[in-house]
Amino acid sequence: KETTAAGPASADLPSVTARRTTSLSLPLTWTDLTFNTTPVENDTSVVEHDNTNTDRVIVKETGLYLISWSLVCDDEIQVRIRTNDTTVVAGPIQAGDPNDVNDVLVVNTLTRTVSLTANDFLTVQVQAATSAETLQAGAVFSVVRLRGSKGDAGPQGPPGTGGQTDTVAGSN
């Protein structure tokens, strides 16, 4: 868990960040990305990293969530987020250019806002777009429960000036 000099860090929004500290040689088929550390997890009654199925982040409260991933890889991989091992979250899948000649390390980041239901779980899946691709250590997957409350109505604004309205030619 993340800590500060004053003790454990916390935030107003329930959130979890799972991190992978090792590299991974990617297969040519979709594979769930596992995460072996959880640097941020501040309200497990709302959202948590599953310590048994370490590829999963579990949502425990219905609502709107901000989900994001960030990873460094050889540049020809595909990444997607799925809910409940069945539905792919809308968004780009390709990361990098499979038609380039040189392998370069590329930082890939994606953020989405998604409505989720209590007991949904999210997984990040990766696969090589070409052969011999490697995901570097340090991949991160974050999920934040977005919350807000409607405030009081503001004061009524001043009335309009009551000036002349414009007429469009030919509309009389």
Side-chain angles (χ1 to χ4, degrees), residues 114-160:
V114 180
S115 291
L116 298 169
T117 303
N119 300 315
D120 281 348
F121 65 89
L122 300 163
T123 55
V124 177
Q125 288 192 317
V126 292
Q127 75 174 2
T130 60
S131 62
E133 305 302 342
T134 302
L135 177 70
Q136 301 299 308
V140 174
F141 182 38
S142 297
V143 180
V144 178
R145 170 68 165 99
L146 300 176
R147 290 185 173 160
S149 57
K150 185 175 179 179
D152 296 333
Q156 180 66 36

Side-chain angles (χ1 to χ4, degrees), residues 28 73-78 93-104 106 108 127-131 133:
L28 290 168
C73 59
D74 294 36
D75 57 346
E76 294 92 32
I77 72 165
Q78 295 180 322
I93 292 178
Q94 186 70 40
D97 180 4
N99 299 314
D100 72 354
V101 177
N102 300 314
D103 280 339
V104 294
V106 177
N108 296 284
Q127 75 174 2
T130 60
S131 62
E133 305 302 342

Side-chain angles (χ1 to χ4, degrees), residues 10-27:
S10 64
D12 294 333
L13 298 174
S15 57
V16 63
T17 296
R19 186 169 181 266
R20 182 181 179 90
T21 61
T22 59
S23 62
L24 175 66
S25 294
L26 299 177

Side-chain angles (χ1 to χ4, degrees), residues 4-127:
T4 65
S10 64
D12 294 333
L13 298 174
S15 57
V16 63
T17 296
R19 186 169 181 266
R20 182 181 179 90
T21 61
T22 59
S23 62
L24 175 66
S25 294
L26 299 177
L28 290 168
T29 58
W30 288 110
T31 187
D32 292 339
L33 186 58
T34 58
F35 298 91
N36 60 331
T37 185
T38 311
V40 176
E41 189 172 47
N42 64 7
D43 190 344
T44 58
S45 69
V46 177
V47 60
E48 75 174 329
H49 180 218
D50 188 330
N51 292 322
T52 303
N53 298 305
T54 60
D55 59 316
R56 297 179 181 182
V57 168
I58 303 168
V59 169
K60 297 181 177 180
E61 183 178 283
T62 298
L64 190 62
Y65 288 80
L66 183 69
I67 56 174
S68 63
W69 54 260
S70 181
L71 50 86
V72 177
C73 59
D74 294 36
D75 57 346
E76 294 92 32
I77 72 165
Q78 295 180 322
V79 184
R80 66 184 183 184
I81 297 174
R82 293 195 321 161
T83 57
N84 304 322
D85 279 339
T86 57
T87 305
V88 175
V89 174
I93 292 178
Q94 186 70 40
D97 180 4
N99 299 314
D100 72 354
V101 177
N102 300 314
D103 280 339
V104 294
L105 294 180
V106 177
V107 176
N108 296 284
T109 303
L110 179 70
T111 302
R112 287 283 177 264
T113 305
V114 180
S115 291
L116 298 169
T117 303
N119 300 315
D120 281 348
F121 65 89
L122 300 163
T123 55
V124 177
Q125 288 192 317
V126 292
Q127 75 174 2

